[in-house]
Amino acid sequence: MLVPVTLVDVLFALPVVILRLLFSTGIGPGTVLFYLTPAPDGLKFVPERVQRIPRGWPWHTGDVRIGIDLVAVADVAAAIDAQQDRYVTRIYTAAEVAASTTAHGLQARRLAAHYAAKEAAVKLLAPGDEPMPLAGIELHREPRGADVLRLSGAAAALAAAAGYGELRVSVSAGRRYAAAVVTGEIAPDRRNKVA
Amino acid sequence: MKEQIRSIIQGSGQVPADPSVLAGDADLYAAGMSSHASVTVMLALEDAFDVEFPDHMLKRSVFESIDSIAAALEELRREPA
């Protein structure tokens, strides 16, 4: 739907726009904003329903999603014992396996941290009934807790489709449990257009 | 097939409820199966039935009940090797 406007319309609307910019009120998900857009026969106001507030706007509050997961180290140890090769190669990347291996062999506690990070990310990327792209979610554990998630394949595609920017992860692994929290922010250009 | 699936789930030891008394359509996640447990159950099913679950089947609805697992295995068996 296009709404033709005149200069008078613009001049009357401008004070309202300025007030909203100044006080950042009345705009949020669900609000219909009208964007002044060039058209062959002049300027048109094109309506769009705001789904998420674009980053950088004065009233931007972000659209942050959170995923969390807790894994028992004993469960990971049992899976390694039962099906080591297939369990490891189907779920983890070579870098994750290398990072979880010491002179004493594959460490369930370390691998559990990687699994927790993957599942926490899945809760953001595949919240419904999407396939779980575990192998495409790779946790890099950096010194001093600066952990990083790297996505590839289906996981990267899901993140792009949902409009996520960088996912951030925090991981903790103890003797019995490993836990991870992943957060992601929807990119600023994901507004739904009004039909 | 469903009895074998029950046995595999029971053998995994990762579903707190007793799989032998669960209905075919009972929600395994509601019965206490964790996401990690679903992965180990999937690998055990692949071993037992000599199949491999493709990536598009690795989703919650496939592993949420004994009936849905049986349906997925039937589908895999029908597919040409």
Side-chain angles (χ1 to χ4, degrees):
Chain A
M1 179 181 70
L2 293 180
V3 181
V5 294
T6 66
L7 182 60
V8 174
D9 295 322
V10 173
L11 290 176
F12 270 105
L14 203 54
V16 176
V17 172
I18 290 171
L19 282 173
R20 288 205 156 173
L21 282 170
L22 286 175
F23 297 107
S24 303
T25 57
I27 299 179
T31 305
V32 176
L33 294 179
F34 290 82
Y35 294 84
L36 200 57
T37 306
D41 53 344
L43 293 174
K44 309 282 187 189
F45 271 141
V46 179
E48 285 189 22
R49 188 176 299 281
V50 173
Q51 186 184 27
R52 300 175 181 97
I53 305 299
R55 183 184 295 140
W57 286 25
W59 50 85
H60 173 68
T61 56
D63 187 1
V64 177
R65 309 287 170 88
I66 300 173
I68 185 170
D69 197 64
L70 179 72
V71 182
V73 173
D75 288 348
V76 174
I80 294 171
D81 287 343
Q83 298 151 319
Q84 175 158 353
D85 288 345
R86 290 177 52 247
Y87 170 72
V88 168
T89 55
R90 288 288 291 273
I91 309 300
Y92 305 93
T93 67
E96 288 178 316
V97 175
S100 303
T101 303
T102 68
H104 301 290
L106 191 58
Q107 301 298 302
R109 176 179 151 180
R110 292 190 182 189
L111 213 54
H114 288 268
Y115 189 87
K118 289 170 187 285
E119 275 294 342
V122 163
K123 286 170 181 169
L124 270 74
L125 299 174
D129 195 32
E130 297 286 334
M132 299 173 281
L134 293 173
I137 303 168
E138 184 176 81
L139 171 70
H140 284 257
R141 304 214 66 187
E142 303 290 344
R144 301 182 189 182
D147 301 327
V148 176
L149 274 184
R150 293 181 186 162
L151 306 181
S152 62
L158 282 171
Y164 283 111
E166 181 187 3
L167 299 187
R168 297 182 186 279
V169 62
S170 181
V171 176
S172 178
R175 190 166 54 87
R176 297 176 61 189
Y177 294 100
V181 173
V182 172
T183 63
E185 187 173 4
I186 300 290
D189 58 346
R190 303 294 302 177
R191 294 188 302 271
N192 273 356
K193 299 221 167 163
V194 174
Chain B
M1 175 186 279
K2 290 185 183 177
E3 286 313 305
Q4 196 174 352
I5 294 170
R6 284 179 204 279
S7 171
I8 288 166
I9 294 171
Q10 197 157 21
S12 76
Q14 298 201 20
V15 178
D18 181 358
S20 66
V21 298
L22 283 176
D25 62 352
D27 188 331
L28 295 173
Y29 291 102
M33 183 171 72
S34 68
S35 52
H36 185 268
S38 71
V39 170
T40 57
V41 165
M42 174 204 63
L43 294 172
L45 290 165
E46 288 186 342
D47 282 343
F49 291 94
D50 193 24
V51 295
E52 182 167 325
F53 286 94
D55 288 346
H56 72 269
M57 277 192 173
L58 302 182
K59 54 188 184 180
R60 189 180 178 92
S61 62
V62 169
F63 298 98
E64 70 183 357
S65 72
I66 292 165
D67 287 352
S68 61
I69 291 170
L73 288 169
E74 290 286 1
E75 186 180 331
L76 286 175
R77 285 180 160 184
R78 281 196 303 271
E79 287 179 358

